[in-house]
Amino acid sequence: MGRLFLVFVLSFSISAVVAQIKYPEDYFIKPLKIPLILSGTFGELRSNHFHSGLDIKTQQRVGLNVHSSAKGYVSRIKIAHWGYGKAIYITHPNGYTTVYAHLKKFAPKIEAYVKKHQYEKESYTIHLFPEANDLVVEKDEIIAYSGNSGGSGGPHLHYEIRDGNAKPINPMFFGVEIPDTRIPEIRAGVVYSFGDSSHVNQSSRLKELKIIKKKNGTLTTNQIEAYGTLGFGINVIDKQNGALNNNGIFSLEMTVNGKKVYEHKVDTYAFSETRYLNSLIDYGRFYHKRQRIQKCFVEPANKLSLYRNLVNKGYLQVEDSLSYTVKITAKDYKGNKRSLIIPIKGKKDTVLVTKKITETPNYFKANEFNKITRDNITVAFPKKSFYNDVYFKFDYKDGIVSLHNQSIPLHKNFTLTFDVSKYSKEKRKQLFIARKNYKGKLYYTNTRRKENKLYALNKTLGNYTLVLDSIKPKIVPINFKNNQSLTKYRYLKFRISDNLSGVKFYRGEIDGEWILLEYDAKKRLLTYDFNDKKLIGTKHTLKVTAIDNVNNTYVYIASFNRKE
Ligand SMILES: [Zn+2]
C-alpha cells in the first residue's frame, strides 16, 4: 500500500512540473510564405535519434525565401558537408533560439559575413558564433534561401525551436498551424514475454498480434492467454493533410483495465539522451524487418525523459485466472487518436515454444567493461555500451572481425585495435580500418595510428577489416578544359572522388591564392564562383589538391585565360 501511494505521488508531481511550462503561441511567425506541409514531425523516430524539428516541404524546389521567425541576432552559423549542411541559429530576446537548416545560401549580409570568415580560415566548412551586434535581424527578415544541403534527402527546410539550455522543443507548442484531421495508423502490435515462466499462448517468444478492424473503426486483437511479465509494443505512423509522408506521432499511452500504466509525449528532450531511442524501439526487429516497434515499457538502461505516469515501468504482471484489457492509444499533436485493444485471459500454462537463445563463450554484462583479444586484434566495450546483457557472437577469420551483427544497438563507442607489426612501414601508412556491410561494401572508419597499432572507435556492430588504399583521389573538371578562355564563365565545377578510404581534404588555388570551393558531398561536386575574387592579369593557373584518408595525394593543375 505504501509503495503504491509513493508511485502515485511521484507520477503526480512529475506531470505537475511538466504542465507548468507555457510556451508563447504568438511570438514566432512561420519561416516560409507557403502553406506548411510537413515531411517530418518533431520527435519522429529516425536512425539513432529523434527528429529535433519540423521538416517543411518546399514544393520540390530550392531557393525559397526563409524568414526569421522573430527579431533577434544570428548566434551561430554552421556549414558542414553532411548533417544540417548550411544552417543558421537565431537567438531571440525571449530566450529561445530558432534553427533553419539544409539551406542553399544565406541572405546577402550573412553570406558576406560567412565568406569573409571562410576566406580567412581557408575552409568551406565553418562553425561561427557571431556576437549579439554582428548580425541583427528583424522579425520576418529574409535570412536565407531554402535548399537541400548536408544530409537532406530532398528539398525542405528543417526548422527547430530550442530553449535557453539548447533543448529542442516541439515547435507545435508555439502555435505553428498545420492542418491535420487524419488519424494515426497502427500497423502492427506485438507482445514480449520476460523471464522463464512468462508466456503468451504457451510460447515465450515474441507474439505478433493479428489486428482486427471493427466496423466502428476500433482496432482489436483476439484474446490471448498469458501469464507472467509482459511488455507491449506497436508500429504506428501519422500523416498530415495534403501529403503522403509517413510522419511520427505526438504521444503514446497504455492503460490496463482503464488505468494508465505508460505514457510518453514528444514535447522536449536533451540531445544527450536522443540515442536512447534505440531502447525505446525494438532495435533487433528494426534491423531484421525495417519496422519500428515502439515499446510501451521502459527497460532499466533507458534514460529517456519523455515518460510520464509509469506504473511498474509499463510492464504488465499477468496473474492466473484474472482478465485484463490492454488499450494502447497513439495520438498526433492535434489529438486525432487511434487505439488498439488487446484482451488477455490470465492462464498459467506449460511453455511449449521457448525463446531461441544462442549461447556463446562471451556473455557480456551490460554494466561491465567487456573485452576480447584474438591474434592481432582487440575489441573493448566500455561499461553500459549495451542496453541488455548479451551472448556476444565473435569471430575472426580471413582477416575479417565479426562483431556480433547490427541487430544489437550500442550506446557508446567500442575500440577496435589491430596490431599491424607484420606489415612494412610503407604499407602501414596506407592501411585503414573499414566496416564491411552485408553486401561487401567497404566504409572507411576514422582510423587512428599509434606506433604499430591502428584503432578505430565505432558504435556500429558488424564486420570490420583492414584495407590497403594505395590509389590517389581523382579530380575531374566538369565544365571546362585545360588552356581554355574562361572569360564568360561564372562557375568552375569539378567532380572529386576516391576509390577506397575517401577524400579527407581538398584545397583550391588560383595563382597561388586560396579559393572557396563549395562542396556538395552528395554529388561529390566542387564549385568555384568567379564573383568571389577579382583576378589580376589574363593568364591564370588553377591548382586543386585532394588528399584521401591515408594521405594519398593528387594535384590537378590547369591554365586558363580570363579578362575581368
Ligand atoms: Zn529535419
Side-chain angles (χ1 to χ4, degrees):
M1 186 66 206
R3 192 164 155 232
L4 252 182
F5 177 72
L6 189 67
V7 168
F8 172 76
V9 169
L10 272 176
S11 56
F12 176 78
S13 55
I14 289 168
S15 27
V17 168
V18 171
Q20 277 173 6
I21 303 167
K22 184 81 186 105
Y23 300 103
E25 284 184 31
D26 302 316
Y27 191 88
F28 294 118
I29 58 164
K30 59 182 192 174
L32 295 171
K33 300 290 183 210
I34 54 170
L36 301 190
I37 297 175
L38 302 184
S39 58
T41 47
F42 182 86
E44 190 171 304
L45 312 175
R46 299 276 176 94
S47 176
N48 302 314
H49 69 282
F50 293 96
H51 188 237
S52 53
L54 302 177
D55 281 347
I56 305 169
K57 289 161 83 94
T58 51
Q59 306 174 333
Q60 285 95 46
R61 291 184 290 156
V62 298
L64 273 59
N65 292 341
V66 176
H67 300 257
S68 178
S69 283
K71 72 170 184 172
Y73 68 95
V74 178
S75 53
R76 183 173 164 192
I77 301 167
K78 191 171 181 186
I79 300 180
H81 293 149
W82 297 102
Y84 283 10
K86 293 187 181 182
I88 289 189
Y89 298 66
I90 295 178
T91 297
H92 305 283
N94 66 350
Y96 293 100
T97 296
T98 49
V99 184
Y100 313 77
H102 305 306
L103 303 168
K104 177 180 161 59
K105 208 173 159 59
F106 303 114
K109 79 173 178 194
I110 301 171
E111 185 79 8
Y113 179 92
V114 171
K115 274 209 174 163
K116 182 176 153 272
H117 284 86
Q118 286 175 314
Y119 271 90
E120 271 172 24
K121 207 185 154 222
E122 301 195 340
S123 175
Y124 167 63
T125 59
I126 203 154
H127 199 176
L128 302 169
F129 296 88
E131 298 290 328
N133 50 8
D134 285 348
L135 294 167
V136 174
V137 295
E138 293 304 319
K139 182 175 192 159
D140 209 23
E141 182 174 330
I142 296 170
I143 49 168
Y145 309 97
S146 70
N148 186 29
S149 62
S152 170
H156 75 280
L157 176 71
H158 173 96
Y159 176 69
E160 272 179 41
I161 301 178
R162 298 185 185 179
D163 71 9
N165 298 316
K167 282 176 78 174
I169 301 161
N170 195 329
M172 301 302 288
F173 287 130
F174 294 81
V176 179
E177 188 46 41
I178 310 282
D180 184 3
T181 52
R182 299 172 76 165
I183 298 166
E185 294 172 26
I186 296 177
R187 294 176 166 181
V190 297
V191 190
Y192 303 84
S193 304
F194 297 98
D196 293 334
S197 59
S198 305
H199 55 80
V200 175
N201 298 351
Q202 293 194 292
S203 164
S204 64
R205 290 186 195 167
L206 174 123
K207 167 77 182 164
E208 289 185 37
L209 300 164
K210 187 171 177 289
I211 296 176
I212 303 154
K213 191 167 186 173
K214 288 195 172 168
K215 280 203 185 90
N216 63 7
T218 318
L219 303 179
T220 181
T221 70
N222 291 324
Q223 187 184 67
I224 54 171
E225 291 186 340
Y227 176 77
T229 311
L230 305 184
F232 297 83
I234 60 164
N235 172 256
V236 58
I237 60 104
D238 186 46
K239 293 180 183 182
Q240 279 80 45
N241 299 4
L244 293 170
N245 302 74
N246 291 342
N247 296 336
I249 55 166
F250 175 65
S251 72
L252 187 63
E253 63 175 61
M254 183 168 105
T255 61
V256 177
N257 297 340
K259 186 181 185 312
K260 200 180 277 184
V261 298
Y262 173 95
E263 185 176 13
H264 90 247
K265 279 194 170 95
V266 286
D267 43 17
T268 179
Y269 63 87
F271 283 105
S272 58
E273 58 182 289
T274 196
R275 196 175 176 87
Y276 286 111
L277 166 105
N278 289 339
S279 176
L280 176 136
I281 64 165
D282 182 336
Y283 191 89
R285 193 175 175 88
F286 177 62
Y287 168 73
H288 290 294
K289 303 211 165 189
R290 293 282 117 188
Q291 179 191 55
R292 285 189 173 98
I293 295 285
Q294 308 200 26
K295 298 170 185 167
C296 300
F297 55 92
V298 184
E299 292 173 321
N302 181 341
K303 299 279 187 287
L304 279 173
S305 64
L306 303 170
Y307 300 112
R308 319 264 178 271
N309 302 314
L310 296 177
V311 176
N312 196 24
K313 296 227 166 192
Y315 292 94
L316 174 63
Q317 208 64 46
V318 175
E319 311 279 347
D320 190 36
S321 69
L322 291 180
S323 291
Y324 306 81
T325 303
V326 167
K327 185 177 177 188
I328 299 170
T329 304
K331 286 185 197 162
D332 63 21
Y333 186 81
K334 289 271 176 165
N336 301 303
K337 62 180 178 184
R338 178 86 68 190
S339 297
L340 174 67
I341 292 164
I342 307 162
I344 302 168
K345 191 179 148 198
K347 190 181 176 201
K348 187 167 183 173
D349 221 331
T350 42
V351 180
L352 297 179
V353 185
T354 53
K355 275 181 196 146
K356 276 183 272 182
I357 295 168
T358 314
E359 295 194 6
T360 72
N362 310 297
Y363 187 68
F364 283 180
K365 290 213 164 126
N367 283 329
E368 290 176 7
F369 170 79
N370 295 286
K371 181 173 157 179
I372 297 174
T373 301
R374 173 96 55 95
D375 303 335
N376 67 326
I377 68 125
T378 300
V379 56
F381 299 89
K383 283 180 190 175
K384 297 184 179 173
S385 295
F386 297 88
Y387 295 115
N388 296 297
D389 299 348
V390 59
Y391 281 107
F392 191 82
K393 286 183 226 159
F394 172 84
D395 200 6
Y396 181 35
K397 66 169 187 249
D398 304 328
I400 293 171
V401 187
S402 295
L403 303 175
H404 204 88
N405 58 49
Q406 280 186 56
S407 67
I408 298 180
L410 291 184
H411 199 73
K412 294 181 181 173
N413 281 317
F414 64 87
T415 309
L416 176 62
T417 309
F418 286 81
D419 187 316
V420 290
S421 312
K422 67 172 179 182
Y423 294 91
S424 70
K425 253 192 163 172
E426 277 314 296
K427 279 195 169 161
R428 272 184 220 172
K429 286 183 191 158
Q430 295 179 326
L431 284 171
F432 68 93
I433 300 172
R435 187 168 66 79
K436 195 174 189 176
N437 80 355
Y438 68 103
K439 285 180 180 166
K441 197 172 173 211
L442 297 167
Y443 296 89
Y444 172 82
T445 68
N446 190 6
T447 305
R448 301 154 202 229
R449 284 149 216 277
K450 200 177 174 191
E451 289 149 23
N452 52 356
K453 293 199 170 75
L454 299 188
Y455 67 99
L457 305 177
N458 286 292
K459 285 196 189 82
T460 308
L461 293 175
N463 293 344
Y464 286 85
T465 188
L466 281 182
V467 176
L468 189 106
D469 182 1
S470 58
I471 299 168
K472 292 172 184 177
K474 273 190 191 146
I475 298 169
V476 180
I478 300 281
N479 65 340
F480 68 98
K481 289 191 195 82
N482 193 13
N483 290 320
Q484 194 183 330
S485 167
L486 299 178
T487 301
K488 293 198 175 90
Y489 278 57
R490 168 79 190 266
Y491 299 105
L492 286 179
K493 287 178 190 290
F494 319 85
R495 185 140 287 137
I496 182 168
S497 62
D498 186 68
N499 66 325
L500 278 171
S501 64
V503 176
K504 170 176 75 177
F505 174 86
Y506 55 86
R507 179 185 172 87
E509 289 175 8
I510 291 177
D511 302 334
E513 281 189 38
W514 185 82
I515 53 166
L516 174 65
L517 294 173
E518 294 232 354
Y519 185 46
D520 180 337
K522 285 191 294 253
K523 293 180 181 161
R524 294 185 281 110
L525 199 66
L526 287 171
T527 305
Y528 172 63
D529 183 345
F530 274 116
N531 282 2
D532 274 9
K533 268 177 178 267
K534 203 167 156 53
L535 299 178
I536 298 156
T538 52
K539 279 200 167 300
H540 304 285
T541 309
L542 169 73
K543 180 179 168 189
V544 183
T545 306
I547 304 177
D548 73 13
N549 277 298
V550 291
N551 295 324
N552 295 306
T553 303
Y554 177 72
V555 181
Y556 169 87
I557 292 177
S559 301
F560 65 90
N561 293 317
R562 183 176 169 94
K563 281 193 207 118
E564 296 276 306

